[in-house]
Amino acid sequence: MKKGKKLYEGKAKIIYASPEKNLVIQHFKDDATAFNNQKKATIDGKGILNNRISEYILQNLNQIGIKNHLVKRINMREQLIKFVEIIPIEFIVRNIATGSLTKRLGIEEGTVLNHPLIEYCLKNDKLGDPLISREHILTFEWLNVIELDWIYNECKRINDFLQGMFRAVGIKLVDFKVEFGLTHESGKTQIILADEISPDTCRLWDSITDKKLDKDRFRKDLGDLIPAYTEVAK
Ligand code: 5GP
């Protein structure tokens, strides 16, 4: 498929125009960043693995009725996706305490949460993606109450599905981040799951050893990121 002009470049992906109406091409780069862009590297092959893993997950989510932007994978690094207007909020779902939750609230690392915890962060690099509350989202009208409740519920469904899927292959889904976007088709606006779901956006631990199989290998200089992502892909 012929790529059009570059529409947007993020830290790990590039969006190009496509020849088809309302569709764009999502290109997965090998770039890795952490700590609000302070740590950067290129990891050969990461984009290929994330493209494949995210395709698998979004296809499966689609099959259980979770509408998302994926149309099809085009090649090793690219997917054809629906054009969406990204909602500037990161939805974080946690099953086990780690990362910023343990730092912020002093919760013991590895604590299994009684219920999945959903947190919201404003997507704003300059401000360091600050944690926001449901009230912030409603006050500033980033979403209305119906949209927010719908996304909250969708996050829980995604979590249930992913937890089961990973558990079946000996991996604990510790936490993950998802993003949603608005599509405007035939005069109708709809919210759908967008972006990617991959070891870049999830924390995944081996069920028995708690070995980290995700981007924390880069964040914490643990090495062997590609073998870990390959294990997830398999
Ligand atoms: P934490 O808030 O503990 O740093 O991250 C919680 C979860 O959300 C982790 O799985 C982490 O990978 C994901 N996450 C949070 N913010 C971002 C982000 O800006 N980019 C990516 N790729 N993942 C994020």
Side-chain angles (χ1 to χ4, degrees):
M1 177 170 297
K2 205 173 169 306
K3 274 207 295 268
K5 69 170 185 194
K6 192 195 280 188
L7 301 176
Y8 168 82
E9 179 156 7
K11 285 173 265 184
K13 295 184 292 292
I14 306 174
I15 303 293
Y16 295 97
S18 91
E20 299 189 40
K21 192 169 174 258
N22 294 328
L23 302 183
V24 291
I25 293 169
Q26 174 167 250
H27 176 103
F28 287 77
K29 300 194 281 186
D30 283 340
D31 295 351
T33 64
F35 313 119
N36 202 16
N37 243 342
Q38 286 171 39
K39 182 171 178 174
K40 289 183 194 176
T42 302
I43 303 168
D44 284 348
K46 179 175 79 75
I48 293 172
L49 287 160
N50 282 346
N51 183 22
R52 186 69 190 86
I53 294 168
S54 195
E55 175 204 14
Y56 181 83
I57 292 174
L58 295 197
Q59 257 178 0
N60 276 272
L61 287 174
N62 189 43
Q63 284 165 10
I64 59 158
I66 296 180
K67 290 195 176 56
N68 62 71
H69 71 169
L70 180 72
V71 176
K72 62 174 182 185
R73 186 167 59 86
I74 306 168
N75 58 42
M76 301 261 281
R77 286 200 179 268
E78 289 165 339
Q79 303 176 345
L80 187 65
I81 59 168
K82 291 187 177 168
F83 174 79
V84 299
E85 191 188 315
I86 286 284
I87 295 165
I89 296 167
E90 294 183 341
F91 297 85
I92 295 177
V93 184
R94 300 180 185 272
N95 298 307
I96 299 175
T98 189
S100 69
L101 178 66
T102 55
K103 285 202 198 87
R104 206 184 325 120
L105 301 179
I107 308 293
E108 194 183 341
E109 167 87 14
T111 306
V112 177
L113 307 179
N114 289 338
H115 301 283
L117 172 66
I118 301 189
E119 295 180 328
Y120 313 101
C121 290
L122 184 66
K123 256 175 82 71
N124 185 320
D125 283 343
K126 275 193 205 138
L127 301 176
D129 295 346
L131 185 75
I132 51 173
S133 69
R134 180 180 163 87
E135 281 68 28
H136 287 109
I137 297 174
L138 299 176
T139 299
F140 299 112
E141 296 179 354
W142 291 318
L143 292 169
N144 66 36
V145 71
I146 293 167
E147 292 165 338
L148 182 53
D149 287 348
W150 185 84
I151 293 180
Y152 182 91
N153 198 38
E154 206 76 343
C155 285
K156 291 212 160 172
R157 290 179 70 201
I158 295 168
N159 186 48
D160 285 346
F161 171 79
L162 291 180
Q163 241 187 344
M165 184 192 80
F166 281 119
R167 213 181 147 78
V169 292
I171 294 174
K172 287 184 208 168
L173 176 64
V174 175
D175 57 31
F176 63 95
K177 181 257 309 178
V178 277
E179 296 183 22
F180 291 81
L182 301 168
T183 58
H184 310 281
E185 278 174 53
S186 326
K188 229 180 88 183
T189 299
Q190 206 181 12
I191 299 179
I192 60 171
L193 175 67
D195 192 51
E196 68 175 291
I197 300 181
S198 73
D200 265 14
T201 61
C202 300
R203 283 202 178 91
L204 304 167
W205 295 353
D206 181 286
S207 293
I208 295 165
T209 63
D210 277 352
K211 180 183 161 193
K212 292 174 170 53
L213 302 170
D214 56 67
K215 198 173 152 187
D216 273 355
R217 301 211 70 82
F218 168 68
R219 295 187 187 101
K220 296 174 182 255
D221 290 321
L222 299 173
D224 285 342
L225 180 138
I226 293 295
Y229 280 38
T230 305
E231 206 175 316
V232 175
K234 275 190 190 149

